[in-house]
Amino acid sequence: MSNGPVPIPQALLDAMVAHAREANPDECCGVVLRFPDRALSLYRTTNAADAAQRPFRFDIPAGELLHLYRLMSEREADHYIVYHSHTMTEARPSPTDLRFARPLVGADPWPYWLLVSLAAEPPDVRVWRIVEAADDDPEAVNGVKPVEVGYEVAPLPPGSALLRLESSGDQRRPVVTERPLGD
């Protein structure tokens, strides 16, 4: 991944902020995949955390994650951005976010983390990389820490899509359907 500002189309930023507002008082969550032709697809995912925890936690259902990993494998996409909202705190990865991210850090480029904070109006949007850190680093949690990176508004590449995932069926045999946002 580049060391410069992360290019993010305004349409994706608008969709993420709208998702955060619609989910409020719960956290929203989603993923942006980048395809070999540079097209981007935003996938709104379900926050399957327990109802009491949804205002400050997110949990993407296993069936939706499997659907995204299949897409990545079949279409040679990479995980570009993981996004979620913070309803009452700043747009900075929390210790819980860092614990979630730890197993994901590795040799392959890992996604950017985009957080939308609804603690103020207008919502604050910030982008982060989660990187390995020494255990004695005061910002480290489980050997990782957040490093803020800038972003710049970029054009929406041709072939890009704004989608939401809908899950049905039971946990052992989930059925995941993609729907265009606005349907």
Side-chain angles (χ1 to χ4, degrees):
M1 301 225 163
S2 145
N3 289 332
V6 179
I8 304 174
Q10 188 66 52
L12 270 62
L13 291 166
D14 292 346
M16 289 182 249
V17 169
H19 191 189
R21 285 183 162 144
E22 290 167 24
N24 195 30
D26 294 337
E27 286 192 359
C28 75
C29 51
V31 171
V32 176
L33 299 183
R34 180 174 52 194
F35 297 93
D37 64 359
R38 308 316 271 173
L40 300 170
S41 288
L42 178 141
Y43 297 90
R44 278 189 180 191
T45 58
T46 304
N47 183 349
D50 291 333
Q53 294 191 356
R54 281 194 297 261
F56 50 90
R57 297 278 186 278
F58 75 93
D59 181 17
I60 299 173
E64 292 180 16
L65 286 173
L66 181 60
H67 178 82
L68 292 168
Y69 283 118
R70 281 185 184 147
L71 280 173
M72 290 171 62
S73 176
E74 291 168 3
R75 296 189 49 205
E76 298 180 6
D78 63 293
H79 214 160
Y80 190 50
I81 296 171
V82 171
Y83 77 89
H84 72 283
S85 60
H86 284 180
T87 60
M88 298 172 270
T89 59
E90 69 176 317
R92 177 183 183 80
S94 68
T96 300
D97 297 335
L98 296 175
R99 281 189 290 279
F100 177 82
R102 177 61 186 125
L104 308 177
V105 173
D108 293 332
W110 200 246
Y112 293 102
W113 287 70
L114 184 144
L115 282 94
V116 177
S117 172
L118 299 176
E121 187 60 42
D124 185 29
V125 176
R126 294 168 69 187
V127 179
W128 303 84
R129 288 189 59 219
I130 308 297
V131 299
E132 294 194 55
D135 288 331
D136 62 351
D137 186 320
E139 292 187 70
V141 173
N142 285 3
V144 296
K145 70 177 184 178
V147 175
E148 188 168 12
V149 295
Y151 71 90
E152 64 186 7
V153 175
L156 187 65
S160 295
L162 303 173
L163 305 160
R164 72 176 185 272
L165 298 181
E166 294 178 353
S167 297
S168 58
D170 62 32
Q171 286 184 325
R172 292 185 316 161
R173 294 184 182 253
V175 176
V176 178
T177 306
E178 294 180 15
R179 302 251 188 254
L181 287 183
D183 277 4

